[in-house]
Amino acid sequence: MGTFLDAQTSQNASYRNSIAIPVTTTPALFGTLGLSTVGAGANIRVEFAFSAAISSLAALLTPVNIEVYRGVGPGRVLVYSAQITLPVAGLGVASETVFTLAGADFNPPSPSNFLIYQSFISIPAGIVILPTRTGPESFYAAAYSD
């Protein structure tokens, strides 16, 4: 059985329609959290989950990219990526999609007894119709070890 080490939540927007941030081709940070691994045994595991709401007045199977990195800056490591496609909606027809995903990072190195994770959201280059992040947005992670 695993030993619980730490858990954190980064809540960027708590309510529906509480933000209005266009999703662009530049990945935008929507969650950062740090986890203590003090006292960890072998085989650290980090489990994470996130949710985000996207709205659009015209969606033509628009893909949305989500990425989770361990660390910050140029040396960060991609540990999870997914692409969700917004459903088709006609021009002028408002659509809202709330998606929730989960992933894990197995055996991350933790030389300083602290792990940082960041989540980003973007759309691929060449997409003409820009959806909007409307909230809620949440990023959660928990660390365990053997």
Side-chain angles (χ1 to χ4, degrees), residues 72-83:
V72 296
R76 67 187 183 182
V77 176
L78 179 67
V79 296
Y80 181 90
S81 68
Q83 187 173 85

Side-chain angles (χ1 to χ4, degrees), residues 79-125:
V79 296
Y80 181 90
S81 68
Q83 187 173 85
I84 296 95
T85 301
L86 298 178
V88 174
L91 283 172
V93 177
S95 70
E96 179 181 50
T97 304
V98 178
F99 52 89
T100 300
L101 299 169
D105 186 16
F106 288 92
N107 295 321
S110 184
S112 63
N113 292 324
F114 195 72
L115 294 168
I116 297 174
Y117 288 86
Q118 293 187 312
S119 55
F120 293 84
I121 190 167
S122 64
I123 57 175

